[in-house]
Amino acid sequence: MKKILSVLCSIFIVLLFTGCQPKDPTISLKKDVTFELKDVMTITNDESNSIYYYYMATITNDSKDTYSTNDVVYSITDDGKEHLNPIDQHESMPITTVLPEQTAYVYGYIGFPNNNQNDMGFYFKDSGEFLSFNNVNVRKATNQDIKESEDLKFTMYEDNALKIEINAEDVKAQFENGKTTLSDLKITYTNKTEQQIVVPYLVPKADLNGILLTNYTDKGDFSSMNEEQIKKIDFTTNGLAPKTDPIEGKAFGYMVEYLDPEQSIECNVGFTFENAAINYQSKNKDCFDIHLVSSAFGITHDMTVSY
């Protein structure tokens, strides 16, 4: 009896230690070229019944030859078997070749209807290998984790790994050469961990409730005017104040998809409004509407700022 118990205990201990061993987040693409999963974050949205997977991986070339990233053909699948139709996706491999002893990055996101996926991950069709997202510690968030605020400076999201801060207190506008520029919206992403992490970045958009200059070509050549000059233009028509329209701006100066260990990046975001001007004669200076959009979180945070 004691011998049987001893054997059973030995088997239990072996199973225990085997079960505790971390799963391998790497696969071999070819000899001395390794694909390693670094970080995964999921965002579940119950309101839209969707789930987004943000992922980051590296390709390390320890060979003596240059490796082409065009040879890395993968899809994101459930258990490497099912073909799934995403509702939204973005993937990036910024470089096409990996030099010897160098590393390249792979990162992106993909969103699906949340149908209780079993085991999502990279499926490499050529080799038939499957690298599960569960081979790393998956960070999880939901649409309920976004914080709203009426303040122009606040923390929009924070967990044990990532912090996202918004600061629109110092935005300023300027008119020059036929266009209005709104600048100095700050979005700060901070990695609180000692490892690289992928970032579920926000997409900034903005509207200017202003004057569309193409409707007033008889007032002069706006392309050569500065701010002081356009402030002197009388846009009234038959004694009526000029019509203002929501004019969509084009964002610039913004792209963060991953962070290095304990890295913090402050993105200074701006918007350009072509052929548009502020209605400087109006007493209402709150003429800019900024929207911070996230398909994954399913939210658009709106704030109104003045010039």
Side-chain angles (χ1 to χ4, degrees), residues 56-269:
M56 177 185 178
T58 57
I59 301 171
T60 302
N61 183 7
D62 289 325
S63 72
K64 295 181 180 179
D65 301 316
T66 297
Y67 181 77
S68 173
T69 57
N70 292 328
D71 296 334
V72 186
V73 180
Y74 67 84
S75 59
I76 307 296
T77 66
D78 190 358
D79 203 17
K81 300 172 183 176
E82 298 181 22
H83 177 71
L84 302 173
N85 295 316
I87 55 178
D88 188 17
Q89 62 182 323
H90 165 74
E91 65 178 56
S92 178
M93 279 188 283
I95 62 176
T96 57
T97 57
V98 189
L99 297 176
E101 308 300 325
Q102 296 295 315
T103 297
Y105 292 96
V106 178
Y107 41 79
Y109 66 80
I110 190 163
F112 298 98
N114 190 13
N115 296 322
N116 299 315
Q117 284 81 4
N118 179 44
D119 189 9
M120 300 295 293
F122 292 98
Y123 177 65
F124 299 86
K125 184 177 180 180
D126 291 344
S127 64
E129 291 189 83
F130 177 68
L131 179 57
S132 172
F133 284 159
N134 291 322
N135 285 18
V136 297
N137 183 25
V138 178
R139 299 183 290 122
K140 297 181 180 181
T142 75
N143 59 301
Q144 302 297 324
D145 295 324
I146 285 290
K147 302 296 187 294
E148 291 287 342
S149 175
E150 296 182 357
D151 298 330
L152 296 181
K153 182 178 181 180
F154 69 103
T155 297
M156 191 171 186
Y157 176 84
E158 185 171 14
D159 60 18
N160 292 332
L162 175 67
K163 185 176 184 180
I164 303 176
E165 298 170 280
I166 310 299
N167 186 355
E169 289 185 335
D170 301 319
V171 297
K172 57 180 178 290
Q174 181 180 7
F175 178 87
E176 189 174 14
N177 301 329
K179 62 184 179 183
T180 296
T181 301
L182 182 69
S183 59
D184 289 342
L185 167 66
K186 297 180 177 65
I187 305 177
T188 303
Y189 298 92
T190 301
N191 180 359
K192 299 162 63 176
T193 76
E194 296 180 354
Q195 66 182 44
Q196 290 174 314
I197 62 171
V198 68
V199 172
Y201 55 89
L202 301 170
V203 178
K205 298 182 179 182
D207 294 317
L208 163 61
N209 296 305
I211 299 172
L212 191 60
L213 297 178
T214 52
N215 295 333
Y216 297 92
T217 54
D218 59 320
K219 299 291 184 178
D221 182 9
F222 301 111
S223 64
S224 62
M225 292 185 186
N226 58 32
E227 190 166 276
E228 291 305 315
Q229 291 172 315
I230 201 167
K231 282 181 177 180
K232 298 176 182 178
I233 300 293
D234 183 6
F235 286 98
T236 58
T237 302
N238 298 325
L240 299 176
K243 178 186 176 182
T244 57
D245 297 287
I247 303 164
E248 185 176 352
K250 183 178 180 180
F252 62 86
Y254 178 77
M255 181 58 68
V256 174
E257 296 191 276
Y258 72 91
L259 293 169
D260 287 329
E262 298 181 340
Q263 183 182 24
S264 183
I265 295 181
E266 180 183 86
C267 304
N268 196 329
V269 187

Side-chain angles (χ1 to χ4, degrees), residues 43-52 87 112-114 143 295-299:
I43 299 175
T44 305
N45 189 326
D46 293 333
E47 293 179 3
S48 61
N49 190 38
S50 65
I51 182 167
Y52 276 68
I87 55 178
F112 298 98
N114 190 13
N143 59 301
S295 298
F297 281 110
I299 57 94

